[in-house]
Amino acid sequence: MELSKNYLPTPIESKWYEHWISKNYFASKPDERESYTIVIPPPNVTGVLHMGHCLNNTIQDILIRRARMQGKNACWVPGTDHASIATEAKVVAMLREKGIAKSSLSREEFLQYAWEWKEKYGGIILQQLRKMGCSLDWDRTSFTMDPDYYDSVINVFIDLYKKGHIYRGKRMINWDVRAKTALSDEEVIYKEVQSKLYYVKYVLEGSTLANPLTEGKNGVDFITIATVRPETILGDSAICVNPNDERYKHLHGKHAYVPLLNRKIQIIPDEYVTLDFGTGALKVTPAHDMNDYQLGQKYNLEIIDTMNDDGTMSEAAQLYVGEERFAVRKKIVTDLEAANHIHKIEEYTNQVGFSERTDVVVEPRLSLQWWVSMKELATPALGAVMNDDIHFHPAKFKNLYRHWMENIKDWCISRQLWWGHRIPAWYAPDGSFAVARTAEEGLAQINSNSEKQWTLADIRQDDDCLDTWFSSWLWPFEVFKGLSDPGNKEVSYYYPTSTLVTAPEIIFFWVARMIMAGYEYKQEQPFRDVYFTGIVRDKQGRKMSKSLGNSPDLLGLIDQYGADAVRFGIMIASPAGNDILFDESALEQGRNFNNKLWNALKLVKMWESRIATNASASGTAGTTAAAKVPAEGQFALNWFKQRLNQVSAEVDTMLTQFRLSEALKTIYSLIWDDFCSWYLEWVKPGFEQPIDPVVYHKTVQYFEHLMQLLHPFMPFITEEIYHLLNEQTDDLCVKQYPAISPADTDVLASGELLKQVITALRDARNKNQIKPKETIRLHIQTNDQAAYQLIEAILMKQVNADSVQYTTATVANTIVVNIEKDKFYIEAEKQLDTAAIKAGLLKDLAYEQNFLASVMKKLSNEKFVQNAKPEVIALERKKQADAEARIQTIEESLKTV
RNA sequence: GGGAGCAUAGCUCAGUUGGUUUAGAGCAUCUGCCUUACAAGCAGAGGGUCCGCGGUUCGAACCCGUGUGCUCCCA
């Protein structure tokens, strides 16, 4: 079969993915094996694959494929999150493009559009994961609004309410006055705006003047306050000054009058106020500012809500009732000026929040919301992480987690949205309410506590939906129907899951809450290990995001480089918990690696047709010719086998410790450097020469083993090469790892020596400008001739020597190379540049002498000798002896030049 | 404003209880090779004030303090 010049990934990738699916390799059912379970962090149902998903899912696939190849029952559960805010925003935008306003639709009509949208676009991201090679069990695909899942979310709400963990409370929210809806913080966009800062005088209680504003003094008859929002004056409840502000110390606890209304309010001291902003005096409007609300809570101030939900003034404002807020701002300024309340007006630049959806200025507004009290739920969840029942990788996130959990705040779970799990609360016209699964149950509950008997027609369900995270915190058990079908075989088998792979920015939103839900509803932790990925950034260090448009098109990259190369590129430099700067050159490196593998395959396939037959036998491959294996082959075979043993053990350790990036680097180097650059060159027969059958078969076997090691990282090309190397009866995807054998360190040491000598001799050739094709004669002066005889054949081949001789004396007119205590003399036709050789030797000598000096400095330090561990001292003494021997060798060589 | 983290070669990163040959890798760079698997390659080489300052220690990239710069989360 003719193999293409370069590796062409696209057809091969789709071929193998279909094959794996047809063989059902990714499907898992409970059995007697140990389970290894990962639940996918469910991407937004409307999402498309971006670099963050790529990183995250590649890691999960590596873990799950490794587990599968270790003989575990690997189960990776796919699914999507309904993502209430994001999805609803998209549906609203889609409708707006069609000219349909959400407000013109009934809830049912809107939800119908939303479901249509979900059916149409909801599966895209899951399809894209297949392109990446993700080995998910597709039969288990879940959605946070599947019927059973939906019911479980509602039941959890009811249950927590019954247990007293859920309550109603006021909260300051971002309000969109045009859409008449609350906004999440993410939906508020801050823009720099040119505003005005109004300095408004408030008359102080106790001024004796008839016209305090015009005739009085600041701080005696009036107090001046700076504000950018004069229309909120009508809702003022207090004036606040910094307690250390000398200007106002005499006013603490005194009163002033709200302009135009003459309502009396108190002057309170609080550190919150900055001394040097405005006048140092702050008006406090608890109903219309986040920070003022906090102050209001702290000092128990009256909350006067002066605004309606459409941004017009309410009855509580007393003035301008029904008029629009910005019109009122102009009017009130005019009226304040007329009444001499305005001291001055300054230009002022500030950040103002705008609605992402309607682009109107967001209004902070108080509203009744549903809350989960977190303290009790947090306690077991904190303990589990701190005592390592749940391991964080890297562990540094434990600090962050502890701090947050120890200072946990209650969780506001209601969202003013239609797409999501509708809150199961029912309200009677008099404001009484009940939490219940159905209207009938709700009605019965309300009526049981009320003299008035309402009918079904009287009560209405809460319009709001639950926070998306209130459903996804159940994910690790509800994907196995752990709540809807408690104690079923699946949840008992797969739960607790093994590893969670996620981004650190959702450690509180999601990870912490899953742990809480796990203990609350399963009395058990949801997972054993949590692997935190980094954030993927662009080359300039910016977080990749849709709004910046700096996220590359992942499918385009897969088309261009191949999925394996993309997986390689994203993994090669991404240690757990560290951000990764995405650079397309890493993908190129991945593609080049694919190509390297492909070319190694081509070389081996070329040998296949040239396997030497046994000298006597004809026609049968010489499997019994082991004794005839050429010398270079014997050492190479043994050495590479030991390297495989060594690296298999290293990689296993690294993967167990979640050092995936390092494991990949180690395998990469084993394949590129040890296998291709050293081993294959060592066993490579001369041009058009036959290859020894033992060497050939062992090489194929090693190659297969390498593919198996690499498979979790780069599944497609490894499967392809595995099948091209040999007729196979199985697939690499499910091939079980062999037991790891210990490595022979003596053989490895010989290999290192051989590499060192080859490199040094090649360097000497280069520096002396001996052409690659020019042969040399090599003389070795050593006390350990046996060590070199073992590797002599390879050495000759690799440094293009046509003879090797052992000598006990200096060889004249040669280039001398010193390695440890041994000397190598290169005899070549080339005229020797003795000055250059001498300079090189002197440089080596200087290095060794400096090194020796640093060792001697330590050893001559009495305190070091007294205090350091014996093995450390022994090591230093060995360094000393080695360095002295090297210096002696170099000095001897210098004499002869 | 509160909290957490990061700073090592031009770039991206390793450096696993402080001692492993005066700090390692990949990419990039330089030199020489179109050698017969691979120029998306081969063989070599150069390149570092381990962010600054102070401390602990016989010994610090690593531990402690402090300053600077950057990032993330929460408000």
Side-chain angles (χ1 to χ4, degrees), chain A residues 245-494:
Chain A
D245 194 334
E246 295 297 336
R247 294 171 293 181
Y248 303 119
K249 273 203 168 154
H250 63 288
L251 294 177
H252 295 177
K254 300 273 169 46
H255 292 83
Y257 295 96
V258 176
L260 306 180
L261 296 178
N262 285 328
R263 184 153 46 73
K264 200 159 102 176
I265 55 176
Q266 200 178 21
I267 298 167
I268 51 173
D270 192 276
E271 302 275 354
Y272 167 71
V273 182
T274 20
L275 290 155
D276 52 3
F277 180 79
T279 61
L282 175 82
K283 71 186 210 57
V284 184
T285 321
H288 296 286
D289 183 277
M290 300 276 181
N291 297 311
D292 290 12
Y293 180 66
Q294 307 282 336
L295 281 174
Q297 292 288 92
K298 192 167 167 185
Y299 295 104
N300 204 18
L301 301 174
E302 191 186 354
I303 295 166
I304 306 161
D305 188 347
T306 58
M307 215 169 279
N308 294 316
D309 63 1
D310 60 355
T312 61
M313 304 309 281
S314 71
E315 296 287 343
Q318 298 183 45
L319 300 172
Y320 318 109
V321 175
E323 296 184 52
E324 196 272 333
R325 53 185 172 157
F326 293 116
V328 171
R329 182 177 297 177
K330 284 186 187 150
K331 269 194 178 175
I332 199 170
V333 170
T334 311
D335 293 344
L336 287 169
E337 272 178 325
N340 293 320
H341 281 287
I342 300 286
H343 168 59
K344 61 174 175 177
I345 300 172
E346 284 179 350
E347 290 297 317
Y348 180 65
T349 310
N350 64 339
Q351 300 281 323
V352 175
F354 286 78
S355 168
E356 189 182 31
R357 301 192 215 170
T358 61
D359 205 36
V360 300
V361 173
V362 166
E363 194 64 46
R365 189 161 188 263
L366 273 181
S367 114
L368 258 186
Q369 304 286 330
W370 291 93
W371 296 77
V372 181
S373 67
M374 299 300 272
K375 276 252 148 45
E376 264 182 64
L377 292 172
T379 306
L382 174 61
V385 170
M386 295 326 290
N387 68 21
D388 284 331
D389 286 345
I390 297 172
H391 284 268
F392 277 9
H393 307 275
K396 67 182 179 188
F397 287 112
K398 280 167 77 174
N399 283 339
L400 188 66
Y401 181 84
R402 183 182 59 211
H403 184 265
W404 194 77
M405 294 295 268
E406 284 175 348
N407 299 284
I408 197 160
K409 297 198 176 73
D410 286 355
W411 176 17
C412 180
I413 52 170
S414 41
R415 295 288 182 276
Q416 288 66 42
L417 298 165
W418 284 347
W419 175 248
H421 307 81
R422 189 170 183 179
I423 292 175
W426 308 86
Y427 302 91
D430 66 352
S432 60
F433 70 94
V435 168
R437 163 162 288 284
T438 62
E440 288 75 10
E441 287 172 39
L443 179 68
Q445 277 186 42
I446 291 171
N447 283 343
S448 70
N449 294 323
S450 159
E451 287 190 12
K452 183 153 172 51
Q453 292 301 291
W454 305 99
T455 66
L456 275 179
D458 294 324
I459 65 166
R460 59 173 184 83
Q461 186 174 358
D462 196 311
D463 276 324
D464 291 349
C465 280
L466 291 163
D467 181 16
T468 279
W469 303 106
F470 194 85
S471 56
S472 47
W473 73 331
L474 312 178
W475 190 249
F477 46 83
E478 191 50 25
V479 295
F480 301 112
K481 305 208 183 298
L483 277 185
S484 37
D485 181 14
N488 74 73
K489 200 168 120 195
E490 300 243 317
V491 76
S492 317
Y493 181 72
Y494 292 114

Side-chain angles (χ1 to χ4, degrees), chain A residues 54-156:
Chain A
C54 174
L55 173 64
N56 191 274
N57 288 293
T58 299
I59 291 166
Q60 292 175 67
D61 197 42
I62 291 165
L63 296 174
I64 215 84
R65 282 182 184 271
R66 171 171 181 253
R68 193 178 291 121
M69 294 170 84
Q70 284 178 319
K72 294 178 188 165
N73 186 344
C75 179
W76 185 13
V77 181
T80 47
D81 188 292
H82 68 285
S84 57
I85 293 173
T87 306
E88 180 150 331
K90 286 208 174 186
V91 174
V92 168
M94 177 272 290
L95 289 171
R96 200 188 301 131
E97 270 178 35
K98 288 186 178 174
I100 304 170
K102 182 189 164 192
S103 52
S104 72
L105 298 174
S106 70
R107 187 184 190 106
E108 286 65 34
E109 287 166 337
F110 177 82
L111 286 177
Q112 201 178 334
Y113 278 116
W115 278 106
E116 279 171 17
W117 168 277
K118 186 257 169 190
E119 293 310 322
K120 193 164 169 191
Y121 300 105
I124 289 178
I125 194 159
L126 300 181
Q127 289 304 321
Q128 292 176 326
L129 288 175
R130 294 170 199 247
K131 284 254 179 206
M132 282 181 44
C134 292
S135 57
L136 289 143
D137 182 353
W138 295 108
D139 303 337
R140 296 180 176 277
T141 307
S142 295
F143 177 54
T144 50
M145 277 173 48
D146 283 339
D148 284 345
Y149 203 115
Y150 191 108
D151 288 347
S152 294
V153 172
I154 299 303
N155 287 334
V156 164

Side-chain angles (χ1 to χ4, degrees), chain A residues 518-576:
Chain A
Y519 283 104
E520 181 70 17
Y521 288 102
K522 297 299 299 172
Q523 290 73 50
E524 227 180 333
Q525 63 196 71
F527 26 70
R528 283 189 290 275
D529 294 283
V530 183
Y531 180 104
F532 290 104
T533 68
I535 295 166
V536 184
R537 300 171 177 285
D538 66 11
K539 265 179 116 170
Q540 294 148 52
R542 298 175 307 175
K543 187 171 172 176
M544 282 190 173
S545 68
K546 269 173 276 176
S547 51
L548 273 175
N550 59 350
S551 190
D553 167 24
L554 193 57
L555 292 184
L557 291 175
I558 291 176
D559 283 343
Q560 194 182 344
Y561 294 98
D564 286 328
V566 171
R567 290 167 66 118
F568 178 95
I570 198 97
M571 286 311 297
I572 193 66
S574 67

